[in-house]
Amino acid sequence: MITAYGAIVGLCIAIILILRKINPTYAMIIGAVVGGLVGGAGLTNTVKFMIVGTQGIVSAIIRIITAGILAGTLIESGAAKRIADSIIASVGTKRSLIAMMLATWILTAVGVFGDVAIITVAPVAILMAKQSGYRKLGVLMAMIGGVKAGNVMSPNPNAIAASEGFNVPLTSVMAIGIIPAITALIATGFIAYYLRNKGTDFENVEMSAGVDEELPTLAASISGPLVTIALLLLRPLLGVTVDPLIALPLGGIAGMLAMRKAKYIGHYFDVGIAKMSGVAMLLIGTGTLAGIISNSALKDVITAAIESVGLPGFMLAPIAGTLMGAATASSTAGTTLGSQIFGPTVVAGGTSALAAAAMTHCGSFVF
């Protein structure tokens, strides 16, 4: 057993390196090595724990890689832009903050990455903000809050990590995420409105003229996500299990066919794998650190601290997600660490696996 002190040192090393802009994968591997050695495991056992920790998340990595087919299709085909433009046009300029928030929410909810959702919505959001006289802070809050609300109920890597970590269906993780998503949207709306005249303004922002592009229809744009969700819903509705490993890429391919862009399949695959490879590499580093912490006394120390202040046992789930998300600067890594290290303890305490998955998942977004 690695000492709690060693695990904390390893975690702190990883955090410091990440904050100093070291690649997070390498930062966590280095932190894992240092933590194991300081914690008294010795070099051989440290490497052994790191490898075992990584082996535990291989299945999640494979599913995340295949999810890139849907993500690449939505990003490169223009489907994401069509969905965003349609939402903003429907809501209107008078409710511009709500339009921005809903646009990033829907995009991430159907599987688009958060950074891509913001980049897609930003040009229109800036124009709407300038017309309404809003400043940057409220606009940023609206878009980022929308991203977080969408992420917590989407087939994104973080939800896949929660599903894998607690061995519950991805559709259940997505469905139970609807409640915190609605809560996040309401809170974001109030905060963004309060901050709409705060921060710097947009007067020095240069907007490119852009080029006309032929976007797919809205029906074709949403076909891929709809096919994916329909396939995933076969399990709760009919008892037919279609694994995300199959459902997500099939949704991407169905979207290509519906948008008549099958000739770009190679390009979409390349973009998808490029987007997901960074997440996969991050999870490899996460696995090494998880192997060290899960074989340490740290989880017992945190559990004892929660009990000593009188908090119920299930609070370990959101606290674990919050702490791990803050430590790794990633909701996917935070969810993975929280579920791998603290999940068994939470479930053993009487909390259902789905509730624990939801709380850990939501906690990972806090910081």
Side-chain angles (χ1 to χ4, degrees), residues 12 23 62 76 118 129 143 172 187 189 203 213 251 268 294 328:
C12 290
N23 183 283
I62 295 173
E76 291 297 299
I118 290 178
M143 291 196 293
S172 299
E203 64 181 6
E213 54 181 321
Y268 294 166
S294 61
T328 59

Side-chain angles (χ1 to χ4, degrees), residues 15 57 67 79 96 110 124 136 140 158-159 169 194 212 240-241 247-248 264 272 274 290 306 309 329 352 354 360:
I15 294 171
I57 59 172
S96 56
V110 300
V124 179
K136 291 181 183 178
L140 284 169
N158 38 271
Y194 174 76
D212 291 333
V240 178
T241 301
L248 288 161
Y264 301 114
I306 290 174
V309 296
S352 72
L354 181 57
T360 304

